[in-house]
Amino acid sequence: MEEQQPASSPRPEEANGSGILIPLVIATFIIVGALLGATAYLSQQISVVQAQLVEVGAGGPGGGPENANQPPRREPPAKVDSDKLIGAEDPANGPADAAITIVEYSDYECPFCGRFYQQTLPELKKIYGEQIRWVFKDFPLPFHGNAQKAHEAAHCAGDQNKYWPYHDLVFENQKNMGLSDLKAHAAKLNLDAAQFEACLSSDKYAERVQAGIDSGREFGVSGTPTFFVNGRRIVGALPASEFKRVIDAELKN
């Protein structure tokens, strides 16, 4: 016969269960608390990293966000003398006496520069046409391994009067920027292959590309794309509406 325990005394198995349960409950609270604390900490760190990426994208070493979606500037940027930005050998497209000159510091391998080329540039050309003169400045970023040669290759194509068509091909094929791809672009444009390859292999335009980088640094460029609209700075692959705001203000002057 099972012996009845006094009402005030728990059975041995119940007492053992409580002895195990209480530490388990305490341990559970400790683990949950630690996880919540870790989650809050990680969330905080993620926010910090995201903020840093936005900063880099807007104007830091990557441009781009590498770049490049800086919040729109509401105050007119400080103005730079456009003549100081443009060198005699810089590629330019559009009338020399255009009302608006846009100087673009760009990197062929920068995805934000590619986005500007694909989305914003066509819209601006459609709106303003011959009112704008475009000047392209080399600013390959050091962590884009193919950019330097791509910029040199565009100048080599320029030797055969195909700078802008080559410029367009590179931006339209950003995922294919190895040396073989650069040569394939030249072939597609029917360039003299021997002349092009000799130019590219000789580093003929390495110093000109470096001159673009030096010019950008002189005027505070640290990321791509960076633009100067009649000397007014715009940073990032912003929508056409932001460029239009600055361009329209310049046209009224």
Side-chain angles (χ1 to χ4, degrees):
M1 175 183 284
E2 182 178 344
E3 183 179 356
Q4 186 176 356
Q5 299 293 323
S8 59
S9 301
R11 294 179 180 180
E13 62 269 24
E14 293 175 344
N16 289 339
S18 298
I20 296 172
L21 181 60
I22 292 172
L24 283 175
V25 170
I26 294 172
T28 300
F29 277 113
I30 292 172
I31 292 170
V32 171
L35 289 174
L36 290 174
T39 300
Y41 175 78
L42 287 174
S43 177
Q44 180 184 16
Q45 293 305 305
I46 289 171
S47 297
V48 170
V49 171
Q50 288 175 334
Q52 290 173 339
L53 287 175
V54 170
E55 180 181 354
V56 170
E66 249 187 59
N67 209 355
N69 274 329
Q70 178 176 335
R73 294 175 182 265
R74 292 305 168 192
E75 294 298 325
K79 198 165 186 177
V80 175
D81 185 349
S82 293
D83 291 339
K84 294 181 179 179
L85 294 168
I86 303 170
E89 297 181 331
D90 288 335
N93 192 2
D97 60 350
I100 301 296
T101 296
I102 297 181
V103 179
E104 175 186 3
Y105 285 87
S106 189
D107 175 334
Y108 282 124
E109 202 170 351
C110 162
F112 298 99
C113 301
R115 188 168 72 186
F116 170 82
Y117 171 82
Q118 296 283 354
Q119 299 177 9
T120 306
L121 181 59
E123 188 171 351
L124 293 178
K125 285 185 173 181
K126 182 178 179 180
I127 295 171
Y128 297 103
E130 295 294 293
Q131 290 180 288
I132 294 180
R133 180 189 184 212
W134 298 89
V135 179
F136 192 84
K137 302 284 287 190
D138 302 305
F139 202 84
L141 299 168
F143 50 84
H144 285 155
N146 294 316
Q148 173 72 27
K149 275 300 176 185
H151 282 266
E152 292 179 31
H155 290 296
C156 289
D159 284 347
Q160 301 184 49
N161 299 315
K162 292 291 180 72
Y163 179 89
W164 289 105
Y166 196 93
H167 160 282
D168 294 349
L169 271 179
V170 176
F171 270 133
E172 289 162 9
N173 296 274
Q174 280 192 306
K175 294 183 179 179
N176 303 297
M177 292 182 62
L179 283 175
S180 61
D181 300 307
L182 298 178
K183 294 175 183 179
H185 297 336
K188 189 172 184 179
L189 294 174
N190 296 317
L191 300 184
D192 182 299
Q195 180 182 343
F196 178 83
E197 291 181 21
C199 173
L200 195 58
S201 62
S202 69
D203 299 329
K204 176 180 178 180
Y205 287 109
E207 289 186 5
R208 184 179 295 185
V209 173
Q210 184 60 47
I213 297 171
D214 294 341
S215 168
R217 288 174 177 166
E218 180 182 354
F219 292 101
V221 176
S222 58
T224 57
T226 294
F227 306 87
F228 292 87
V229 179
N230 278 11
R232 295 190 181 277
R233 184 194 306 265
I234 294 180
V235 179
L238 300 180
S241 59
E242 287 302 316
F243 285 86
K244 188 175 185 299
R245 180 175 60 84
V246 178
I247 292 170
D248 289 348
E250 285 297 310
L251 287 173
K252 291 178 181 178
N253 291 339

